[in-house]
Amino acid sequence: MINIADIKMKPSNFGGNNEPEQLFGLAAQLTSKGIQHGVWQSGPGELTLNFEWNETIYILEGSAEVKNLMTEEKFTLIAGSMMTFEQGSHWRWRIPWKLKKIFTILE
């Protein structure tokens, strides 16, 4: 059983200067287990993410073109897409219009 005191709600933002405008972000973090669940929404733009965690996402709205900077693999994520980004991977995201995703992070 999870103690409600272990769940912390917090804003979710990457904090970089050249990132897409974040329209909404909220995460629930189970502090004792290193698990976060949340929703994140942004406007158009580009960002580079160096994953220091494992993250699985499900796209609710919009789209993103993602490129693995280590392997050069490219994917287009659209509503209904699900993808896992492994710890230690480096990705470039291009969001042409907007993006809304649900995420789970395992630290």
Side-chain angles (χ1 to χ4, degrees), residues 1-50:
M1 183 150 121
I2 297 172
N3 182 341
I4 194 71
D6 286 341
I7 298 175
K8 306 291 183 203
M9 298 301 287
K10 64 180 188 176
S12 176
N13 193 0
F14 300 114
N17 294 331
N18 297 319
E19 294 178 359
E21 178 185 4
Q22 178 175 310
L23 304 174
F24 179 79
L26 184 66
Q29 181 172 7
L30 183 57
T31 55
S32 62
K33 304 288 184 192
I35 300 170
Q36 292 182 44
H37 299 288
V39 62
W40 183 83
Q41 182 174 349
S42 79
E46 291 190 12
L47 68 152
T48 300
L49 292 174
N50 301 316

Side-chain angles (χ1 to χ4, degrees), residues 14 20-24 39-45 47 57-66 77-79 81 93-102:
F14 300 114
E21 178 185 4
Q22 178 175 310
L23 304 174
F24 179 79
V39 62
W40 183 83
Q41 182 174 349
S42 79
L47 68 152
I57 65 168
Y58 181 81
I59 306 298
L60 296 171
E61 295 177 28
S63 66
E65 297 166 4
V66 296
L77 304 174
I78 60 172
S81 297
W93 290 58
R94 189 174 93 54
I95 302 166
W97 180 55
K98 71 173 183 176
L99 181 73
K100 186 175 189 179
K101 69 176 183 171
I102 296 172

Side-chain angles (χ1 to χ4, degrees), residues 49-54 68 70 85-91:
L49 292 174
N50 301 316
F51 284 87
E52 298 175 10
W53 54 83
N54 293 305
N68 185 316
M70 300 166 74
F85 297 90
E86 294 183 358
Q87 182 177 11
S89 63
H90 307 282
W91 292 83

